[in-house]
Structure formats: structure tokens, C-alpha cells
Amino acid sequence: SISYWLSKVLPETIKPFLEFVGAKLNTIYVLQWIMIMWVIDFYINQYLGINLNFPQTLLSTFTIFILSVLFAKIYTGFRKSLKTT
């Protein structure tokens, strides 16, 4: 499978990131859709009247992915802190 092949090819420094993303994929998806619907659609289209071209769309997609992973990591840490108290 692709996962097995990637585990043999990728450097060790990337594997923890991929494991985290794989384990928290549902959380990341939920956060992505919230950001896509509210930030991109509502703010850019409604208030600014800007329609994104293809490179801008790719950049915003990459930015949303990074922010989703970051927020999922923060959310996971927050939930762990609630369970330990």
C-alpha cells in the first residue's frame, strides 16, 4: 500500500507528523470545513467581492490545511489537560 511505501521512503522526522495527522483526521476535517465555509466563503466573497484564481486557491488550501493541523494539535492538548484534571 501507499502508507507502507511512504513509511520506507520518508525521513524519520516527518513520520510523527503523518501519524498525528492520521490519528486526528476527523478533527482536522471538521476544522477545515468550518474555516472553508466561514473564512473563505463568507469573508472573501461576501465582504471583499474577490473571486480567487487557481494559484490563490491552492495557497489558501495549503494555509487552511496547516491551520487545521495546528488547531487540531491545540484542541487535542486541551482535551488531554481536561482529562488529567
Side-chain angles (χ1 to χ4, degrees):
S1 79
I2 293 175
S3 298
Y4 177 76
W5 179 79
L6 285 174
S7 70
K8 299 298 181 189
V9 176
L10 292 175
E12 290 296 321
T13 56
I14 296 176
K15 289 180 185 178
F17 172 76
L18 293 177
E19 289 172 359
F20 173 80
V21 170
K24 304 299 177 196
L25 202 55
N26 288 339
T27 302
I28 292 169
Y29 282 155
V30 169
L31 292 169
Q32 281 177 337
W33 279 109
I34 290 170
M35 283 188 261
I36 288 167
M37 294 305 294
W38 288 99
V39 176
I40 299 298
D41 185 47
F42 186 74
Y43 182 74
I44 291 178
N45 289 336
Q46 297 297 325
Y47 283 116
L48 301 178
I50 298 172
N51 292 323
L52 300 178
N53 62 27
F54 186 70
Q56 292 168 329
T57 302
L58 287 179
L59 179 62
S60 66
T61 301
F62 179 72
T63 303
I64 288 171
F65 173 73
I66 296 300
L67 289 173
S68 298
V69 171
L70 176 66
F71 290 147
K73 191 161 186 72
I74 291 169
Y75 175 73
T76 302
F78 177 72
R79 285 193 57 189
K80 282 184 183 177
S81 71
L82 289 177
K83 288 182 182 179
T84 58
T85 57

